[in-house]
Amino acid sequence: MKILLIPRPGFGHVFTSRTLLLLIFCLWAPIQVVGQAKNATVSTPTPIGRTGNATVSSSRPRVVNIGALFTYNSAIGRSAKPAILAAVDDVNKDSSILKGTKLNVIFHDTNCSAFMGTVESLQLIEKDVVAAIGPQSSGISHVISHVVNELQVPLISFGSTDPTLSALQYPYFVRTTQSDYFQMYAIADLVEHYGWREVIAIFVDDDNGRNGISVLGDALAKKRAKISYKAAFTPKASNAEINDLLVGVNLMESRVYVVHVNPDTGLTIFSVAKSLGMMGSSYVWIATDWLPTFLDSFQAPDPDTMNLLQGVVALRHHTPDSDLKKQFTSRWEKLQNDSSASFNSYALYAYDSIWLAARALDVFLNEGGNLSFSIDPKLRDTNRSALNLASLHIFNGGPQYLRTILGMNFTGLSGRIQFDYDKNLVNPAYDVLNIGGTGSRRVGYWTNHSGLSIVAPEIVYTKPPNTSASNQQLYSIIWPGETINTPRGWVFPNNGKPLRIAVPNRVSYKAFVVKDKDPPGVKGFCIDVFEAAIKLLPYPVPRTYVLFGDGKRNPEFNEIVYQVAENKYDAAVGDITITTNRTKIVDFTQPYTESGLVVVAPVKVEKSYPWAFLKPFTLSMWFVTAGFFLFVGAVVWILEHRMNHEFRGENTVSTLGRFVLIIWLFVVLIINSSYTASLTSILTVQQLTSRIEGIDSLISSNDPIGIQEGSFAWKYVVNELNIAESRLVKLKNQEAYGEALRLGPKAGGVAAIVDELPYIELFMSSTNCQYRTVGQEFTKNGWGFAFQRDSPLAVDLSTAILQLSENGDLQKLRNKWLPTQECSMQINDEDANRLSLTSFWGLFLISGIACFIALTIFFCRICCQFQKFVPDGDREDDIEEIEPVNASSRRTIRSTSFKDFKNFVDKKEAEIKQKLKKKHSDTKQQASPSSDVQPNTVH
């Protein structure tokens, strides 16, 4: 009977791991027959006593077992084994740690096999180890993690980099190397730094490969990039299979390849790529840490091998150049057992893993930790089978020991050993390497703190984080083909399929795009711009133009864009407006011409008439100006007539009069200049025949509005301006434009037309400027070429369009297809040119205040003179002197009235001053005693 196992989505490696584990338990036969007893006896070199169902240490043990699980004959294993042996030896020699307890390591070889690796790990745990160092394979780590979770044995891995192993599902898995989670984000930062949008992932289809590439996809998505294709192959793929894979990859657009494979088999990728010519210029190869690990495993890499890797960019785990690291590397030749083994970063992680287990064990024992093992009830052999399940024991002190491990904080060969909340090492960092010549050179670093940098991570982590684009720096890279110019990252796919380009089949404004009998089947301004931009690209672009529309009416441009988004066309070329809704589904190039919606209305030339000179001022302005002329004249007369003997208005003598006149002349100068300018504008400007002055007045009216057939303006005025569709009239061509405007809204036409500026310019030019735009452009748009989302061709063509604009070719094409007649685009209505009192009341206020101040000073001075001239008690004689009268008409002081003051004011200033001077001298004479008078004599 066949059993069909269908894994459910979401289970993935969990389902596979448990199935494999169950199979192993079913096939795992005991090495020796163990009697059925309740008390399990564990044969270990540690002096452990037995109590009940568990073996318990009576004191600090003499020997503690730690397992080591990895593939001996591998790039990582050849470096890890001597490092582990050295670490164990150093720990046992150090009297400050594990006092009286010897650390014993038990090695097991996984033989590069997931099945054998799992069996070996079970045999290792059978020996009651308190911790297992390894494995290096992420696939084996997934399976064995379920075992250690059950038996509470910490699994300290120096080589498993699968990001999903940090999940809560594996509490006893501890990683002393960096997770591929950070490496994939480093690659995403590299892709963003060089402006690439798509990459192709080449990876081994196992747990480590799939999960790492999955994280890469998430990281690229945050940078607005993506994996365009995932090229996966089996772990034991042949050269022929890899060749077929790369041939298919080479037919695609992207030229940025991320290679995430195993150190021992990854070189085959580059060997096949070299034979296919994929290691030349325009290609980008980014390798994960497997490549530096492979190269570091040899003291002197083969020149043929290095020749395959020229220009490759690779990431390597960063380890600081500390004194501890230098001392360790200096004794490396004495440590290695295999002459072919060489030093790489995994040797440091393996060495630190032993020290992490030892230091944590020392703390664990000092805190009274319990080194005891008990039988797992779930594995008890109740059915008396031959399986030796009872030999697997639970480490009772496992939870406490695990907490101790995760709480450690010390400096090892690889740097700081401390874990964060997710059980990842703190301060992750990578070296960015550029393979070239006979080795590699470091062009920068990557940290989770500040991204790409040329500053060492040890310094970067002491500063505030800064991931801004301006802070991302790397030294120059020599790319494949020995070029320092950053590759574009994509080429037109070499698969024989030309671009299918949709072109609107217009029935109006054919100067922009129109069907043509000659190849390529279309012509016009838009086509010429596109063809000129294509010629500037450094690669050929096969293309075929496909007319969109029936040729009887203008097509719906929204439908053209939607067809491109639906992959029915590769691009759309024509007078296509870049709008917000369209940019959500396609990518546009740089605009090749500006556009915007405007309102066009009919105009006429205003005829002149005899009273046109009155137009510049409103009625109130004329009245106020005339009134101020009279008022200022009166003020000047009042101020001048007492001082100016020959005052006829030609000359002013008084200071106050001059002051008032200067202010008034300033006001008159401004009014005169404004009047002249306004009259000139009114007599020369063309005036509207309708009351439409712009989009606002058009919205507020109920008149019909003309819209070009197929234009986005229809939906815009309905959705954005809330204009009723019943007011909109579709117009097919320029002739329909002119006829609708000529008829007007009362005769079945339209009051105005709303359309894009390029169409309106061409329309007005063809009608000899009989119509004009009113108001301002109320949208700012542009025309561009539409491509499918994330198309690199849109970016390259944008650069080409900018080149056309800078070198003047774009303007030449515009002059060729769109000859326009100069028309005054803006219209000012009559009322706008008229000057009202509102614009000048400030000037009149200044003039009025000046007159008021002058009059106030004048009358204050008159009053003072009047008081001096007619003092109390003597006003009658003074009045007689000023104006002699007969005796019968003499008045007393009480009869003095306003008429006296008026007569006084009417006197000339010189006469008043002479009288005051005479009166002053008479007063002095009367005050002095006469010399002829003799004093009285007293007898």
Side-chain angles (χ1 to χ4, degrees):
M1 181 179 65
K2 295 182 180 180
I3 300 177
L4 181 62
L5 299 177
I6 303 177
R8 290 180 293 170
F11 278 66
H13 62 270
V14 176
F15 179 84
T16 305
S17 301
R18 291 181 176 176
T19 304
L20 179 60
L21 187 59
L22 180 61
L23 178 62
I24 291 169
F25 274 128
C26 293
L27 297 177
W28 182 35
I31 299 176
Q32 57 181 350
V33 179
V34 181
Q36 303 296 322
K38 292 184 178 180
N39 297 337
T41 303
V42 182
S43 177
T44 65
T46 55
I48 300 177
R50 291 182 294 174
T51 58
N53 291 339
T55 57
V56 185
S57 61
S58 58
S59 61
R60 180 183 283 263
R62 287 189 303 104
V63 178
V64 175
N65 289 334
I66 290 182
L69 188 68
F70 55 90
T71 300
Y72 295 170
N73 188 24
S74 65
I76 295 177
R78 286 191 294 268
S79 296
K81 188 171 183 178
I84 292 175
L85 290 173
V88 172
D89 186 56
D90 291 344
V91 168
N92 291 330
K93 290 181 180 179
D94 193 339
S95 59
S96 64
I97 188 172
L98 292 178
K99 304 177 181 64
T101 300
K102 180 181 179 181
L103 197 65
N104 180 53
V105 62
I106 303 173
F107 289 95
H108 277 261
D109 189 0
T110 59
N111 294 308
C112 289
S113 170
F115 178 79
M116 292 304 301
T118 305
V119 173
E120 292 291 335
S121 62
L122 291 172
Q123 293 178 355
L124 176 64
I125 296 176
E126 181 187 16
K127 298 176 181 178
D128 288 348
V129 294
V130 297
I133 308 300
Q136 70 190 60
S137 169
S138 297
I140 299 176
S141 294
H142 277 290
V143 178
I144 197 62
S145 289
H146 295 288
V147 179
V148 297
N149 287 349
E150 181 68 25
L151 303 179
Q152 301 178 169
V153 177
L155 184 64
I156 305 175
S157 177
F158 58 86
S160 298
T161 57
D162 183 353
T164 61
L165 288 170
S166 299
L168 297 176
Q169 183 183 8
Y170 309 110
Y172 281 86
F173 178 84
V174 180
R175 184 174 9 230
T176 55
T177 186
Q178 296 294 347
S179 168
D180 278 342
Y181 173 89
F182 302 106
Q183 182 170 211
M184 296 307 167
Y185 272 83
I187 293 176
D189 283 347
L190 273 172
V191 171
E192 181 188 37
H193 180 66
Y194 290 107
W196 301 315
R197 300 289 297 275
E198 295 183 2
V199 304
I200 293 178
I202 302 174
F203 62 98
V204 177
D205 195 11
D206 57 10
D207 288 337
N208 184 60
R210 285 190 304 272
N211 296 330
I213 295 303
S214 176
V215 173
L216 176 61
D218 296 339
L220 289 173
K222 294 182 180 180
K223 307 294 183 180
R224 300 193 65 183
K226 68 177 183 179
I227 299 176
S228 60
Y229 182 73
K230 295 181 179 180
F233 58 93
T234 62
K236 296 182 180 181
S238 64
N239 286 13
E241 292 173 330
I242 294 177
N243 183 82
D244 294 341
L245 181 72
L246 293 184
V247 167
V249 163
N250 198 34
L251 294 177
M252 300 178 183
E253 291 183 355
S254 179
R255 284 293 184 264
V256 182
Y257 305 127
V258 176
V259 183
H260 185 51
V261 295
N262 299 321
D264 300 291
T265 59
L267 197 64
T268 306
I269 297 291
F270 292 100
S271 177
V272 175
K274 182 74 172 180
S275 65
L276 294 175
M278 298 175 63
M279 296 301 297
S281 59
S282 79
Y283 288 88
V284 178
W285 291 89
I286 301 175
T288 53
D289 65 291
W290 69 267
L291 182 56
T293 299
F294 173 81
L295 296 178
D296 292 342
S297 298
F298 301 95
Q299 295 180 352
D302 183 20
D304 293 336
T305 299
M306 297 304 300
N307 188 45
L308 300 175
L309 305 172
Q310 298 299 304
V312 176
V313 176
L315 297 179
R316 180 177 63 192
H317 294 289
H318 174 76
T319 55
D321 295 327
S322 61
D323 293 337
L324 290 175
K325 178 180 175 181
K326 293 178 181 178
Q327 293 173 7
F328 182 77
T329 54
S330 65
R331 55 187 280 216
W332 178 254
E333 293 183 358
K334 299 179 181 180
L335 297 176
Q336 59 185 354
N337 297 324
D338 188 349
S339 59
S340 63
S342 185
F343 175 81
N344 59 41
S345 59
Y346 287 99
L348 304 179
Y349 292 123
Y351 184 91
D352 288 341
S353 298
I354 295 294
W355 272 95
L356 172 64
R359 289 177 181 271
L361 185 60
D362 186 53
V363 174
F364 174 78
L365 294 175
N366 291 337
E367 293 178 352
N370 184 15
L371 282 178
S372 63
F373 296 84
S374 60
I375 294 176
D376 187 352
K378 299 178 182 179
L379 300 179
R380 185 169 297 179
D381 216 352
T382 55
N383 294 328
R384 299 181 180 274
S385 69
L387 297 177
N388 189 19
L389 301 180
S391 62
L392 298 176
H393 305 112
I394 295 177
F395 177 26
N396 296 325
Q400 181 183 351
Y401 186 40
L402 176 64
R403 290 193 298 269
T404 305
I405 291 175
L406 296 178
M408 296 304 297
N409 184 3
F410 67 95
T411 300
L413 298 182
S414 61
R416 185 178 175 187
I417 306 298
Q418 185 182 4
F419 299 96
D420 61 14
Y421 180 79
D422 295 321
K423 298 190 300 181
N424 292 316
L425 287 175
V426 298
N427 300 343
Y430 288 86
D431 298 335
V432 182
L433 305 179
N434 183 204
I435 312 299
T438 59
S440 62
R441 64 186 182 94
R442 185 165 53 200
V443 295
Y445 307 90
W446 180 90
T447 62
N448 192 42
H449 191 66
S450 297
L452 300 174
S453 175
I454 57 177
V455 181
E458 294 77 31
I459 300 176
V460 170
Y461 275 109
T462 61
K463 299 178 180 180
N466 185 358
T467 57
S468 62
S470 60
N471 192 57
Q472 306 301 297
Q473 297 180 358
L474 289 176
Y475 292 115
S476 61
I477 293 177
I478 300 177
W479 303 98
E482 298 184 355
T483 177
I484 61 173
N485 297 322
T486 303
R488 184 174 53 253
W490 82 283
V491 294
F492 192 82
N494 187 23
N495 54 15
K497 295 181 180 179
L499 285 178
R500 285 176 50 85
I501 301 176
V503 177
N505 191 7
R506 296 193 59 91
V507 297
S508 63
Y509 295 107
K510 296 183 178 181
F512 295 106
V513 59
V514 66
K515 181 180 179 181
D516 189 23
K517 296 180 180 179
D518 300 327
V522 288
K523 64 180 181 179
F525 169 68
C526 302
I527 301 299
D528 279 6
V529 172
F530 182 74
E531 288 290 331
I534 287 292
K535 292 178 181 179
L536 293 177
L537 299 181
Y539 49 87
V541 181
R543 54 200 177 277
T544 299
Y545 294 103
V546 181
L547 288 172
F548 186 90
D550 55 11
K552 299 179 180 179
R553 54 183 298 179
N554 290 332
E556 290 291 336
F557 282 71
N558 284 334
E559 183 63 22
I560 298 177
V561 175
Y562 180 76
Q563 297 273 356
V564 173
E566 290 294 309
N567 202 24
K568 294 183 179 179
Y569 298 100
D570 298 302
V573 172
D575 46 336
I576 303 174
T577 305
I578 304 172
T579 64
T580 302
N581 290 334
R582 293 173 181 175
T583 57
K584 293 179 180 178
I585 59 176
V586 297
D587 282 350
F588 281 94
T589 62
Q590 171 82 13
Y592 59 89
T593 187
E594 293 184 357
S595 179
L597 290 179
V598 293
V599 178
V600 63
V603 297
K604 70 175 182 179
V605 178
E606 182 71 15
K607 295 181 179 180
S608 182
Y609 61 97
W611 302 103
F613 70 91
L614 295 176
K615 278 191 173 183
F617 287 166
T618 59
L619 185 62
S620 60
M621 183 66 182
W622 280 116
F623 279 119
V624 171
T625 302
F628 256 82
F629 266 106
L630 297 176
F631 173 68
V632 173
V635 171
V636 173
W637 183 86
I638 292 173
L639 298 175
E640 288 289 320
H641 85 284
R642 298 183 76 243
M643 302 180 65
N644 197 336
H645 293 281
E646 298 180 356
F647 177 62
R648 296 293 187 271
E650 292 85 1
N651 188 25
T652 55
V653 176
S654 66
T655 302
L656 293 176
R658 291 176 178 175
F659 169 72
V660 171
L661 197 58
I662 289 173
I663 297 297
W664 177 242
L665 290 176
F666 174 72
V667 174
V668 171
L669 176 64
I670 295 178
I671 293 177
N672 179 65
S673 301
S674 303
Y675 173 86
T676 303
S678 179
L679 181 61
T680 302
S681 176
I682 289 175
L683 294 179
T684 58
V685 76
Q686 297 178 355
Q687 304 300 329
L688 296 174
T689 59
S690 68
R691 55 190 175 86
I692 302 301
E693 302 172 4
I695 188 61
D696 293 332
S697 59
L698 188 62
I699 294 174
S700 60
S701 70
N702 293 318
D703 295 333
I705 303 171
I707 301 291
Q708 183 184 171
E709 188 177 52
S711 172
F712 83 99
W714 182 286
K715 288 189 176 181
Y716 181 85
V717 297
V718 172
N719 298 332
E720 302 296 333
L721 304 182
N722 297 320
I723 296 178
E725 289 193 35
S726 59
R727 293 179 55 193
L728 304 183
V729 178
K730 286 187 178 181
L731 301 176
K732 187 175 182 180
N733 49 37
Q734 296 99 307
E735 291 75 15
Y737 276 34
E739 183 66 16
L741 289 174
R742 185 185 63 80
L743 292 175
K746 296 181 179 179
V750 296
I753 292 175
V754 175
D755 206 348
E756 296 182 76
L757 185 59
Y759 301 123
I760 296 302
E761 287 179 339
L762 198 60
F763 166 69
M764 291 192 304
S765 178
S766 63
T767 57
N768 295 321
C769 301
Q770 295 179 9
Y771 309 97
R772 293 289 186 274
T773 59
V774 292
Q776 302 290 332
E777 292 182 54
F778 53 93
T779 65
K780 290 292 184 181
N781 303 100
W783 289 354
F785 305 129
F787 289 86
Q788 295 176 9
R789 293 303 298 269
D790 301 322
S791 172
L793 194 59
V795 179
D796 286 358
L797 278 178
S798 294
T799 304
I801 291 172
L802 289 176
Q803 287 183 257
L804 292 175
S805 178
E806 292 172 356
N807 61 25
D809 289 343
L810 193 59
Q811 185 61 41
K812 292 178 182 178
L813 293 175
R814 188 179 183 89
N815 296 336
K816 172 186 174 182
W817 288 98
L818 310 175
T820 57
Q821 181 179 348
E822 291 295 332
C823 298
S824 177
M825 298 300 297
Q826 295 299 325
I827 297 299
N828 297 321
D829 64 10
E830 179 180 340
D831 291 337
N833 286 326
R834 302 188 69 185
L835 303 174
S836 65
L837 183 61
T838 305
S839 304
F840 297 96
W841 70 267
L843 290 173
F844 287 123
L845 179 63
I846 293 174
S847 180
I849 292 174
C851 293
F852 176 77
I853 293 174
L855 288 175
T856 301
I857 296 174
F858 175 77
F859 281 110
C860 287
R861 189 174 64 180
I862 292 297
C863 291
C864 292
Q865 289 178 347
F866 186 71
Q867 291 293 331
K868 293 178 180 179
F869 196 80
V870 188
D872 293 341
D874 198 22
R875 184 172 299 174
E876 180 180 355
D877 296 335
D878 293 336
I879 296 298
E880 290 180 357
E881 293 182 4
I882 296 175
E883 186 178 357
V885 296
N886 55 30
S888 61
S889 60
R890 180 175 297 175
R891 295 173 297 170
T892 64
I893 190 173
R894 289 184 298 271
S895 65
T896 303
S897 64
F898 176 74
K899 185 177 181 181
D900 299 327
F901 180 75
K902 179 181 178 183
N903 293 333
F904 178 80
V905 172
D906 194 48
K907 294 296 181 179
K908 297 296 183 182
E909 184 75 15
E911 183 181 353
I912 295 298
K913 289 183 178 180
Q914 184 179 3
K915 292 291 185 179
L916 288 175
K917 184 176 181 182
K918 180 180 177 182
K919 182 177 180 180
H920 180 68
S921 61
D922 291 344
T923 303
K924 289 179 66 177
Q925 291 179 1
Q926 293 176 3
S928 61
S930 176
S931 57
D932 297 336
V933 179
Q934 299 296 328
N936 294 330
T937 304
V938 180
H939 298 279

